Amino acid sequence: MSTHELYAKEPGETLWQVPASGAARFSWEYDEGRDRLLALYQKGKDKQWDGQKRIDWDLEVDPYDPLGTPDEAVTLYGTPYWARMTDSDKGELRKHYASWQFSQFLHGEQGAMVCAARIVESVPDLDAKFYSATQTMDEARHAEIYGRFLHEKIGMVYPINDNLQSLLGDTLRDSRWDMPYLGMQVLIEGLALAAFGMIRDTTDKPLPKQILAYIMQDEARHVAFGRMALRDYYKQLTDAELREREEFVIEGCYLMRDRLRGVEVLENFGIPKAEAEEFSENSEFLRLFRQLLFSRIVPCVKDIGLWGKRLQQAYVDMGVFEMGDSNLDLLMAQDEEIAEKLDAERFAVEERERVTEVREAVEEGRRLTG
Ligand SMILES: [Fe+2]
Ligand SMILES: [Fe+2]
């Protein structure tokens, strides 16, 4: 079915064109590269996987409760609207929310693919081009998987959120080569990764859990790349240049915190925008969720050397300053472990099933011949 028919809201033009600026760069130096980057490139090649095969698409999903979301986690919970809703209305609302959330993941993954390709084009060094080429492929696979999940299992798609789109546009239009890294690899991917992790760790539904765990295994490499490249580069920048980047980060963080809440879902249910915003502001659950969304961004920003006074103050105001001390390497190592453990568990079950099947076949054979 064409995606157009699945949109819960008119998405506008099917093609979004962002004019490119800056140069495409070639390097004629083929045999020198930074060891850490080349090792990451090697890992990127070794760890490719195919979502058509690795994910068990036969698992069923209830489109009216795809993630097993508890009532308290729904924005409308505890409001007069919720009290008036029938069970089928609530199912419909859950479907819209899951669709909205995974649609933003899908559009974000496409954005990540385009940004990674932009980095291939514009970054001056060949080692970074090589690595980014593997990431471009990773992001293509992620977009493919979220797209399949939405088409086959949810049956509904939301357009990209306006603010996510404008952040993506700013990131791509900027001619400074580090901006796609900062906007995409650090901000948008950092936010997405935290959201993936919260759902991965709380959902009891096997299909979304597999999808998120496997995708997060790749994202650990992407964050590592952004950190390496930017940490080196930001050491050479002047104070004024660093402040510009910090302003971009502050603005981007507020935008993502305040404007990426799925208010358009509630509007779709006939709730006025101002009221919908108030509900999402007052929900205890969402407040915690919004803070946790920064668990990957804050330590990363600090690590790459964007840690001036104004930025620190912004994080204090947002209540996420302490997250700067969390151990990013540990979080990434855990993401990889969780995916590997999930594989091991699934293959152990398959192996048991295979053994039982063989045993039954042997017994059947014995019965027939004996
Ligand atoms: Fe991705
Ligand atoms: Fe990524």
Side-chain angles (χ1 to χ4, degrees):
M1 192 187 284
S2 118
T3 306
H4 202 90
E5 290 161 41
L6 299 181
Y7 272 109
K9 211 180 134 194
E10 179 50 46
E13 298 262 339
T14 29
L15 206 62
W16 178 37
Q17 305 198 61
V18 184
S21 59
R25 298 187 175 87
F26 286 74
S27 164
W28 309 127
E29 186 50 72
Y30 290 97
D31 62 353
E32 270 176 27
R34 289 159 283 186
D35 291 343
R36 281 182 317 164
L37 259 179
L38 290 175
L40 205 57
Y41 168 56
Q42 185 60 45
K43 198 171 170 193
K45 287 187 293 177
D46 291 339
K47 299 264 173 164
Q48 295 283 323
W49 49 277
D50 185 353
Q52 304 296 344
K53 296 184 186 131
R54 192 181 186 191
I55 288 166
D56 183 1
W57 291 101
D58 289 337
L59 286 167
E60 277 184 39
V61 173
D62 174 5
Y64 299 102
D65 192 15
L67 303 170
T69 315
D71 284 356
E72 308 81 68
V74 182
T75 318
L76 281 188
Y77 179 75
T79 68
Y81 289 98
W82 184 257
R84 282 201 295 274
M85 284 178 124
T86 63
D87 282 349
S88 117
D89 294 337
K90 290 175 187 171
E92 197 61 38
L93 183 64
R94 281 196 171 83
K95 176 177 171 173
H96 276 256
Y97 262 119
S99 163
W100 179 82
Q101 177 119 60
F102 280 79
S103 297
Q104 303 318 312
F105 293 167
L106 168 63
H107 304 310
E109 295 289 0
Q110 185 183 175
M113 176 179 74
V114 171
C115 285
R118 172 66 56 85
I119 292 170
V120 172
E121 185 185 38
S122 63
V123 75
D125 306 305
L126 203 64
D127 52 6
K129 286 184 192 293
F130 279 175
Y131 165 76
S132 254
T134 67
Q135 184 174 339
T136 307
M137 183 59 193
D138 291 346
E139 308 297 10
R141 292 183 294 102
H142 300 170
E144 173 201 344
I145 290 165
Y146 284 129
R148 182 168 176 186
F149 181 70
L150 284 163
H151 278 79
E152 279 185 26
K153 304 295 182 178
I154 310 279
M156 179 185 286
V157 180
Y158 260 81
I160 187 168
N161 170 280
D162 290 344
N163 299 288
L164 178 59
Q165 185 167 15
S166 85
L167 184 59
L168 199 54
D170 288 346
T171 295
L172 279 167
R173 266 185 291 269
D174 205 298
S175 63
R176 295 168 289 188
W177 70 261
D178 63 304
M179 293 313 267
Y181 284 76
L182 188 58
M184 191 69 224
Q185 312 267 28
V186 177
L187 294 185
I188 301 178
E189 292 225 66
L191 184 88
L193 207 51
F196 294 175
M198 280 188 271
I199 301 174
R200 177 196 63 188
D201 298 340
T202 52
T203 186
D204 55 356
K205 307 288 180 190
L207 184 64
K209 204 183 191 75
Q210 276 180 27
I211 290 177
L212 292 161
Y214 294 152
I215 287 181
M216 287 185 80
Q217 189 180 21
D218 291 340
E219 300 295 350
R221 293 194 295 277
H222 306 171
V223 175
F225 174 57
R227 283 166 75 196
M228 267 179 216
L230 293 182
R231 203 167 21 190
D232 289 351
Y233 181 59
Y234 287 170
K235 278 188 198 127
Q236 312 158 21
L237 293 188
T238 63
D239 271 355
E241 286 168 327
L242 287 175
R243 294 301 83 84
E244 277 169 29
R245 269 94 182 155
E246 288 184 359
E247 286 306 317
F248 178 78
V249 169
I250 292 171
E251 236 173 80
C253 284
Y254 272 116
L255 187 104
M256 291 191 297
R257 188 190 71 158
D258 299 332
R259 298 288 170 75
L260 207 55
R261 295 184 175 183
V263 164
E264 50 269 49
V265 171
L266 295 183
E267 284 185 283
N268 237 357
F269 279 72
I271 298 170
K273 192 172 182 172
E275 212 178 339
E277 274 168 358
E278 203 185 303
F279 290 152
S280 79
E281 183 64 39
N282 294 336
S283 155
E284 196 54 47
F285 180 87
L286 284 179
R287 195 171 303 155
L288 184 68
F289 185 83
R290 274 197 294 276
Q291 283 192 345
L292 289 173
L293 279 177
F294 287 89
S295 59
R296 306 280 178 135
I297 295 178
V298 182
C300 186
V301 164
K302 186 176 181 182
D303 181 63
I304 57 178
L306 295 182
W307 202 241
K309 272 212 167 57
R310 267 183 54 79
L311 188 60
Q312 290 192 34
Q313 188 55 49
Y315 285 152
V316 169
D317 295 342
M318 294 168 92
V320 299
F321 179 77
E322 277 76 28
M323 288 174 176
D325 295 329
S326 57
N327 186 337
L328 211 47
D329 291 315
L330 188 71
L331 284 171
M332 298 294 153
Q334 281 168 350
D335 291 342
E336 294 191 73
E337 254 167 49
I338 288 172
E340 279 159 17
K341 226 177 110 203
L342 188 61
D343 269 343
E345 283 165 9
R346 289 178 56 207
F347 295 135
V349 171
E350 272 170 30
E351 183 61 19
R352 272 202 299 281
E353 284 170 357
R354 206 180 57 81
V355 169
T356 315
E357 250 170 53
V358 170
R359 196 177 295 138
E360 280 169 2
V362 168
E363 272 164 22
E364 177 72 4
R366 236 183 242 139
R367 201 177 56 79
L368 289 173
T369 53

